Amino acid sequence: MADNLKALVIISDRVPGGVKTPWEKIPELENFTKGIKIPDISKDGDSKVDIGSIVSGMPTVFARANMFANAIKNDSKEEAKGLMFFYSTLISEWKGLISCIALDYKNFKVDRISLGYSDKKGIGETTNLYEVSGAFGNALFDRKELWCDQKITKEDQVPFIDVIRYNESGISQVVGGTSPDSFLFTSSSYNLKGSAPYITKGKFTNPFADKKSDVSESDLTKIYGYAVYIKKNLEKFRLNFSDLKDKTLQGSLITAKIGECLEAWILEMKEYQALKGYKQLSIDAAPPEVGSKFHSPFSLVFNYSTELYGVEGLITNDGSLKGVISFDPNDLLLPETTEIAQIRFEAGADKNPNCLSEKPILVLKAEYTKEKNRFAYFTLPVTPLALNIFGKNLDAFVGLNENSGVKSRISALYESTRDGEILTVSLKLFTNTGQVIDKSKIYKVGHEIKGKDILMWPNFISKQWNRYFLYSEMPHNDTQFQATPFVGDVEDDFFRIIFSKKGEPLL
């Protein structure tokens, strides 16, 4: 008869029996895990013990992701002790990461990394069994299907992981990844420098755990709206895996537990709102415009953008109107990596609020942040899509025509700092139903263009003309500038810019 064995490395209050020689699953593993003993850790944050170095014993490259899944599965209102306290810190990071995405999504980037072999062969045929990416994919074992794109046929499926990067003050670092079991998990080694309510000692943290934290009413509404939005879309995520032949894999999805975790967090936000005296949170609070940061299937729960349509400056939610173009508000301003050129007009233009009304061109007027009634002028930081959306009412968009009926505006603030010149551009869109969408981006100011150097051929056009010549006196001998003509569609009633199949202006 085999002897009963005790665990020697992992010590738990609830020790399951073990036997010699067989390799088998630990019975009642969940209870064993809950009872794992770890050194006492101060809950006031003053402990010098690095809990991450204590809990590090899972023998898989997916240990970090698995720990987040276990944390959500074991989340409860009971006082957390031992390993359960460690799990509670992971859930706090999970909530902090979601909060940061909601408030600072523009600085996040998600890269998909294939966990297959570079020769596109399976484990039984590859010539390099130990190639890192493929070996990591193999470490998923019978759960590999869960980490694959379900829209691809099973024969072509390759597991993947989405790596999440966060650009904090110009420094980009990997802060986490995606998992079908917990949606998100954080890296074990990232270190943030900021002091936002969702960052504590370099790590993401639940901004509502500490009632003394300073979360503004606006930020609370955004995080709340995002949490509610994610919870609403849990079923879409679950159904994405409904065709899996292995029903045990479907059963491993913990969307119900994630829903419980989100619901508890939503209630926590309501308590915070009441404590701060903010106005009552609405279940219809709009999620932040995260856009299309995440890839499928995580796009189902994390991506959000307002479906809008535009024609000649009229912004609407009605896609049936004649001539409207579907657009994402995030796509109207140029990327923040763009350097914006400043335009120097004649002396005194910086003190003349009506300067642009006397000019035959449309540029962006920016107010100095530290000087009242002083202005600087810049090239418009808008995409060709924005030009198509506003069309003949572009002058109203830049604030030069108050009589057009178009309310949407672009505005800017200009500041010269020790580190360079900064242009903060704000976009405010008004829909025909009264909805207001605010967007803003920060740009570096590039080189200057003197107003007298700008001379372009006017946009004369006729369907009877079959050939055009561009006349320009842009300073082409200056390597800092370039002028690129767009091609307009003469068959289009609105003479819109023509785009290639890749979505870029046709030159």
Side-chain angles (χ1 to χ4, degrees):
M1 187 172 180
D3 298 327
N4 285 333
L5 303 177
K6 274 192 171 184
L8 298 178
V9 179
I10 302 176
I11 309 301
S12 173
D13 287 333
R14 306 170 187 181
V15 182
V19 294
K20 291 180 179 178
T21 63
W23 181 267
E24 57 185 12
K25 292 183 178 179
I26 298 176
E28 298 185 6
L29 178 59
E30 192 168 311
N31 289 330
F32 173 77
T33 301
K34 286 183 178 180
I36 289 177
K37 295 181 179 180
I38 61 174
D40 287 337
I41 297 171
S42 171
K43 296 185 180 181
D44 59 11
D46 294 331
S47 174
K48 295 182 179 179
V49 178
D50 179 5
I51 194 169
S53 65
I54 298 171
V55 184
S56 59
M58 293 187 181
T60 168
V61 295
F62 296 97
R64 187 74 175 172
N66 290 343
M67 284 191 284
F68 272 76
N70 285 336
I72 291 174
K73 285 178 182 176
N74 291 285
D75 185 32
S76 69
K77 295 182 179 179
E78 299 177 9
E79 184 181 1
K81 299 179 180 179
L83 187 62
M84 294 303 105
F85 176 67
F86 172 64
Y87 280 166
S88 71
T89 66
L90 295 185
I91 291 176
S92 180
E93 283 192 56
W94 186 80
K95 293 174 180 176
L97 176 55
I98 292 175
S99 300
C100 188
I101 293 172
L103 300 181
D104 199 18
Y105 53 84
K106 63 184 178 182
N107 283 315
F108 278 89
K109 183 180 180 184
V110 182
D111 297 316
R112 176 152 295 182
I113 298 176
S114 170
L115 298 179
Y117 289 106
S118 58
D119 59 10
K120 310 297 182 183
K121 295 181 180 179
I123 186 172
E125 303 172 339
T126 184
T127 56
N128 187 0
L129 184 62
Y130 298 106
E131 184 180 20
V132 173
S133 59
F136 279 12
N138 293 335
L140 289 165
F141 296 106
D142 56 344
R143 304 186 74 256
K144 185 183 292 187
E145 274 189 284
L146 269 176
W147 292 70
C148 294
D149 188 345
Q150 304 303 308
K151 297 177 182 178
I152 300 175
T153 58
K154 187 175 181 180
E155 295 74 22
D156 298 325
Q157 284 182 355
V158 176
F160 63 82
I161 186 168
D162 291 336
V163 173
I164 302 172
R165 302 177 189 274
Y166 179 45
N167 189 326
E168 184 189 32
S169 302
I171 300 174
S172 179
Q173 60 178 308
V174 173
V175 295
T178 59
S179 159
D181 294 313
S182 61
F183 292 176
L184 302 173
F185 64 93
T186 64
S187 164
S188 59
S189 59
Y190 70 99
N191 184 23
L192 303 174
K193 305 298 183 183
S195 57
Y198 48 77
I199 298 175
T200 300
K201 294 187 176 182
K203 302 293 182 184
F204 291 116
T205 187
N206 176 13
F208 309 108
D210 182 0
K211 303 306 179 185
K212 295 180 181 179
S213 66
D214 187 19
V215 181
S216 70
E217 185 171 6
S218 173
D219 287 349
L220 169 62
T221 302
K222 290 176 184 176
I223 299 171
Y224 174 82
Y226 201 33
V228 170
Y229 176 77
I230 293 170
K231 187 172 181 292
K232 282 181 179 179
N233 289 283
L234 291 178
E235 183 64 8
K236 289 182 182 179
F237 186 88
R238 189 190 68 79
L239 291 175
N240 178 74
F241 298 90
S242 61
D243 291 335
L244 284 179
K245 294 180 181 178
D246 187 343
K247 299 302 179 183
T248 61
L249 290 181
Q250 290 185 30
S252 71
L253 288 169
I254 59 170
T255 50
K257 291 296 294 184
I258 291 176
E260 292 175 14
C261 187
L262 287 169
E263 183 59 34
W265 194 31
I266 288 168
L267 291 174
E268 194 176 0
M269 291 185 219
K270 291 180 177 179
E271 292 173 2
Y272 187 91
Q273 166 261 315
L275 181 68
K276 294 290 186 178
Y278 295 156
K279 65 180 180 182
Q280 189 170 354
L281 293 166
S282 169
I283 195 68
D284 297 321
E289 298 276 341
V290 175
S292 54
K293 293 283 183 183
F294 288 85
H295 309 292
S296 178
F298 304 101
S299 57
L300 296 172
V301 288
F302 290 119
N303 288 355
Y304 176 81
S305 61
T306 307
E307 188 173 18
L308 294 176
Y309 301 87
V311 56
E312 302 295 74
L314 170 67
I315 310 299
T316 176
N317 300 103
D318 186 357
S320 64
L321 296 179
K322 181 183 178 182
V324 294
I325 304 172
S326 174
F327 73 96
D328 182 336
N330 293 298
D331 296 333
L332 297 185
L333 293 176
L334 292 173
E336 287 188 308
T337 53
T338 310
E339 286 194 355
I340 309 302
Q342 184 173 4
I343 299 175
R344 294 285 187 182
F345 291 119
E346 69 279 357
D350 61 332
K351 296 290 186 177
N352 181 6
N354 300 315
C355 171
L356 295 183
S357 62
E358 304 164 1
K359 308 294 182 187
I361 57 174
L362 297 179
V363 299
L364 177 64
K365 180 173 75 172
E367 294 187 52
Y368 276 73
T369 56
K370 298 179 180 179
E371 296 183 54
K372 290 185 178 181
N373 301 318
R374 189 180 178 192
F375 310 95
Y377 305 93
F378 301 88
T379 52
L380 278 175
V382 298
T383 61
L385 174 63
L387 299 181
N388 275 351
I389 294 294
F390 287 94
K392 67 182 182 182
N393 287 316
L394 194 63
D395 57 344
F397 180 54
V398 299
L400 290 178
N401 183 0
E402 299 296 336
N403 301 317
S404 69
V406 172
K407 295 182 179 180
S408 300
R409 293 290 184 270
I410 185 172
S411 59
L413 293 174
Y414 169 68
E415 182 178 7
S416 181
T417 68
R418 184 178 300 176
D419 298 325
E421 298 171 83
I422 301 298
L423 184 68
T424 302
V425 178
S426 298
L427 182 67
K428 181 167 282 191
L429 302 177
F430 293 85
T431 71
N432 63 333
T433 58
Q435 183 183 6
V436 182
I437 297 100
D438 290 306
K439 295 290 171 186
S440 65
K441 290 188 178 183
I442 299 175
Y443 302 94
K444 288 184 178 180
V445 176
H447 295 268
E448 295 181 354
I449 299 176
K450 293 181 180 179
K452 64 181 182 180
D453 287 333
I454 303 174
L455 183 59
M456 300 292 292
W457 185 257
N459 188 23
F460 294 141
I461 183 170
S462 168
K463 291 185 178 181
Q464 281 71 47
W465 298 354
N466 58 17
R467 183 174 296 182
Y468 293 85
F469 296 92
L470 176 70
Y471 172 75
S472 168
E473 285 191 6
M474 285 287 288
H476 290 291
N477 58 334
D478 189 330
T479 58
Q480 304 299 335
F481 306 108
Q482 66 176 26
T484 305
F486 296 137
V487 177
D489 185 357
V490 295
E491 301 300 326
D492 189 315
D493 291 339
F494 303 101
F495 187 58
R496 288 175 174 143
I497 297 167
I498 302 175
F499 288 92
S500 68
K501 292 181 179 179
K502 294 181 179 180
E504 298 172 348
L506 194 64
L507 306 180

